[in-house]
Amino acid sequence: MYEPQKIEKEILEFWEKNKIFEKSLEKNKEKKPYIFYDGPPFATGMPHYGHILGSVTKDVYGRFWTMKGRYVRRIWGWDCHGLPIENIAEKGLGINSRDEIEKMGIKKFNDYCRSKVLEYAGAWKEVVKRIGRWVDMENSYKTMDNEYIESVWWAFKQLWEKGYIYEGEKILMYCPRCSTPLAKAEIAMDNSYKNIKEDSIVVKFKLKPEKKFNNNVYALAWTTTPWTLPSNLALTVNPDLEYVYLRDKSDKNVYLLAKKLINNFFKNPEEYEILEEIKGRKLEGKEYEPLFDYFKNNKNSFKFLLGNFVTAEDGTGIVHTAPAFGEDDYAICKKYKIEMAQPVDDKGKFTKEVKDFQGKFVHDSNKEIIEFLKKSGKIVLIKKIEHEYPFCYRCETKLLYRAIPAWFVDIQKIKPKLLKISQKINWHPEFLKEGRVKYTIETAPDWNISRNRY
Ligand SMILES: [Zn+2]
């Protein structure tokens, strides 16, 4: 009977006993090197099929170029930094916030991390050997070695001296539990998005009175994140969209919304009367009364802005705009020189400016904010909707957008060079070169390298 398991094990034993890998290196030692860069895995979890597939592919290259007569040095590494180990340490220590880490002392916390970081190294060694990969695991490097850390600082210094580093503020996806922003790639992972059911609401913003309508006039805006309403500073409309002022025959109020979306609110034309049609661009600068009084003196706020990102696909065609909690919101408010308001702290809780909800975790405050607005008659519609929402892949907390001071690598500056170099790379399959790789570089934003951890 053919027993592949048995044969494989015999071969592994033969390689080990006769030091075949070492000999394959020794024999080409004086030959031209083939440089092999390998991203080190975290030793903070067990190896899985994803690692194994990658590992086998990597092994093929080393062996191939060795057979072609090149010297291919292969040394294993361990990635020791960042949240994977910190989350394990926090669990082990029974703590769960930055405050607690600082209270116990950063050195003590880091020492504990260091003691746990190679917990699964033994299991890794077994698996890597079993799949037949040739790599030197005995002399492995660790990213927590000072020698390694210094090389990272050296690289950072090169970037700094070339003018590729800047400090800025960006709207980033943020985990309020880990108290850290997440990179786009960390949110694009399979397990980041989940379908959730939430209340979405349509709110009415009272416009400054206009004689011609002799009734109360309100702009309607839709949101799936009621907790951002206390930070509302503007309403944005699309300059090219048609809007209407219409009178609701039942309550006699006049409402402003996109013409295309009237059907979202009225079942038949008997229920309302159109008073005026108006292009979005003519609404620019129109003033309204703030929903809450928290930021009533904020500079240049509570006016209509024009933004091409506004669509008439859902909602009302009028976008509630809070610069601290959305990328488009931030950009448009910057353009109109609206003063920033950021009333949420690094743990996702309202600060004292939002006095009615101070200390409340934003994701838990939606219901109360809806109640609050309902009491003051500012809500038109509450509707449960199901939509995809991103969660922290490390701790499964609901993420939020937040304005964060951060250091960036200026990718725009080096983009032309990246594109040029990419042309010389032998991509497989070949269409990647003009396809995904080129697109990824062309659309890459600046790289946020700040991490607010230990
Ligand atoms: Zn998290």
Side-chain angles (χ1 to χ4, degrees):
M1 198 175 90
Y2 179 63
E3 290 178 273
Q5 289 237 23
K6 197 169 151 243
I7 295 167
E8 283 178 17
K9 281 180 183 160
E10 281 168 12
I11 293 172
L12 290 176
E13 231 169 78
F14 172 81
W15 284 347
E16 201 176 3
K17 211 171 109 200
N18 298 288
K19 298 199 180 310
I20 303 297
F21 172 46
E22 289 81 351
K23 282 179 188 163
S24 79
L25 285 169
E26 195 54 40
K27 129 181 122 67
N28 290 352
K29 201 150 192 183
E30 305 303 323
K31 302 276 177 59
K32 190 178 168 193
Y34 177 88
I35 305 297
F36 181 75
Y37 290 124
D38 186 5
F42 287 107
T44 42
M46 291 292 282
H48 55 66
Y49 285 109
H51 297 116
I52 292 171
L53 178 63
S55 232
V56 169
T57 313
K58 288 166 179 179
D59 192 46
V60 167
Y61 282 86
R63 286 166 182 267
F64 175 76
W65 287 104
T66 302
M67 290 195 294
K68 298 271 273 186
R70 304 275 286 269
Y71 174 56
V72 194
R73 194 167 163 245
R74 281 155 278 171
I75 292 180
W76 190 263
W78 296 110
D79 191 347
C80 312
H81 280 102
L83 278 158
I85 184 59
E86 292 197 23
N87 281 347
I88 286 175
E90 283 183 34
K91 254 183 215 153
L93 292 163
I95 58 177
N96 131 34
S97 73
R98 301 181 61 185
D99 292 347
E100 283 169 292
I101 294 171
E102 284 177 17
K103 219 156 114 201
M104 79 175 280
I106 293 168
K107 182 174 185 319
K108 216 168 142 193
F109 180 72
N110 279 345
D111 285 344
Y112 187 82
C113 287
R114 206 169 276 125
S115 76
K116 292 277 166 194
V117 79
L118 293 180
E119 209 160 40
Y120 295 99
W124 274 86
K125 276 185 190 166
E126 246 168 68
V127 170
V128 170
K129 188 185 152 196
R130 180 65 186 84
I131 62 172
R133 182 167 178 190
W134 279 358
V135 57
D136 180 359
M137 290 188 93
E138 297 314 312
N139 300 303
S140 61
Y141 70 91
K142 300 173 205 69
T143 62
M144 67 185 178
D145 297 340
N146 278 343
E147 233 186 349
Y148 184 90
I149 293 169
E150 281 166 9
S151 74
V152 175
W153 280 109
W154 176 87
F156 184 73
K157 185 166 179 250
Q158 305 307 304
L159 290 170
W160 172 260
E161 283 174 353
K162 291 187 165 106
Y164 294 146
I165 303 286
Y166 71 91
E167 191 181 17
E169 192 181 51
K170 281 228 167 155
I171 305 298
L172 298 166
M173 270 284 170
Y174 183 87
C175 174
R177 202 213 69 91
C178 301
S179 299
T180 188
L182 279 83
K184 282 232 161 77
E186 294 173 306
I187 301 152
M189 301 196 304
D190 294 349
N191 52 353
S192 300
Y193 279 85
K194 287 180 194 166
N195 256 327
I196 53 166
K197 265 194 175 152
E198 276 188 314
D199 281 334
S200 73
I201 56 174
V202 174
V203 184
K204 50 189 203 192
F205 290 86
K206 195 170 185 195
L207 304 188
K208 288 276 156 74
E210 282 190 60
K211 265 193 198 141
K212 59 181 171 184
F213 299 130
N214 70 43
N215 284 93
N216 288 329
V217 186
Y218 298 96
L220 299 181
W222 178 66
T223 182
T224 56
T225 52
W227 66 264
T228 59
L229 287 168
S231 316
N232 170 277
L233 296 181
L235 293 173
T236 309
V237 292
N238 187 312
D240 298 319
L241 221 57
E242 286 298 336
Y243 291 83
V244 292
Y245 287 101
L246 57 78
R247 176 172 286 121
D248 180 344
K249 288 182 182 167
S250 64
D251 67 8
K252 302 285 187 285
N253 287 329
V254 176
Y255 294 107
L256 174 66
L257 74 160
K259 193 179 177 188
K260 268 190 197 158
L261 295 162
I262 295 176
N263 295 340
N264 283 358
F265 299 91
F266 298 95
K267 283 196 187 71
N268 74 69
E270 311 284 287
E271 296 170 20
Y272 62 89
E273 173 194 354
I274 290 182
L275 305 176
E276 189 184 330
E277 294 193 17
I278 186 167
K279 261 263 188 293
R281 69 178 73 256
K282 294 214 167 133
L283 295 167
E284 188 178 30
K286 183 177 270 304
E287 292 176 49
Y288 66 92
E289 290 177 13
L291 270 193
F292 297 88
D293 59 4
Y294 311 135
F295 297 103
K296 60 175 190 280
N297 299 318
N298 210 62
K299 236 191 283 163
N300 300 325
S301 307
F302 310 111
K303 290 178 184 169
F304 277 66
L305 319 178
L306 304 180
N308 290 315
F309 61 89
V310 180
T311 68
E313 268 158 36
D314 42 27
T316 65
I318 300 173
V319 170
H320 137 61
T321 307
F325 308 112
E327 269 182 294
D328 289 330
D329 303 46
Y330 180 80
I332 198 86
C333 286
K334 204 167 179 185
K335 188 175 152 198
Y336 281 90
K337 301 194 164 52
I338 291 170
E339 193 186 337
M340 184 70 164
Q342 164 75 298
V344 173
D345 70 14
D346 60 359
K347 290 188 200 68
K349 291 178 177 170
F350 281 115
T351 54
K352 64 175 189 303
E353 288 109 313
V354 179
K355 54 181 190 293
D356 301 292
F357 308 101
Q358 185 184 346
K360 286 252 147 63
F361 183 53
V362 294
H363 287 313
D364 296 336
S365 68
N366 284 334
K367 277 220 154 63
E368 267 180 73
I369 287 171
I370 291 174
E371 263 332 292
F372 194 91
L373 291 170
K374 235 160 89 183
K375 264 187 217 147
S376 49
K378 286 169 178 161
I379 290 189
V380 176
L381 192 75
I382 304 175
K383 198 175 159 189
K384 272 241 182 303
I385 57 153
E386 203 177 325
H387 63 146
E388 285 208 312
Y389 198 89
F391 286 73
C392 178
Y393 73 96
R394 304 178 181 108
C395 73
E396 297 196 357
T397 298
K398 245 171 111 180
L399 299 175
L400 47 99
Y401 276 106
R402 197 164 174 271
I404 317 245
W407 291 94
F408 291 87
V409 178
D410 192 338
I411 300 295
Q412 312 320 312
K413 240 187 207 170
I414 55 172
K415 217 171 242 188
K417 203 171 166 189
L418 286 173
L419 285 165
K420 219 169 130 191
I421 291 170
S422 165
Q423 288 297 313
K424 291 186 198 156
I425 294 172
N426 188 14
W427 296 102
H428 284 279
E430 206 180 337
F431 59 76
L432 287 177
K433 186 194 277 189
E434 297 300 324
R436 191 202 285 206
V437 171
K438 194 171 174 193
Y439 176 80
T440 303
I441 300 173
E442 277 173 350
T443 56
D446 288 343
W447 180 21
N448 165 35
I449 53 169
S450 287
R451 295 291 179 275
N452 304 338
R453 300 295 294 192
Y454 302 98

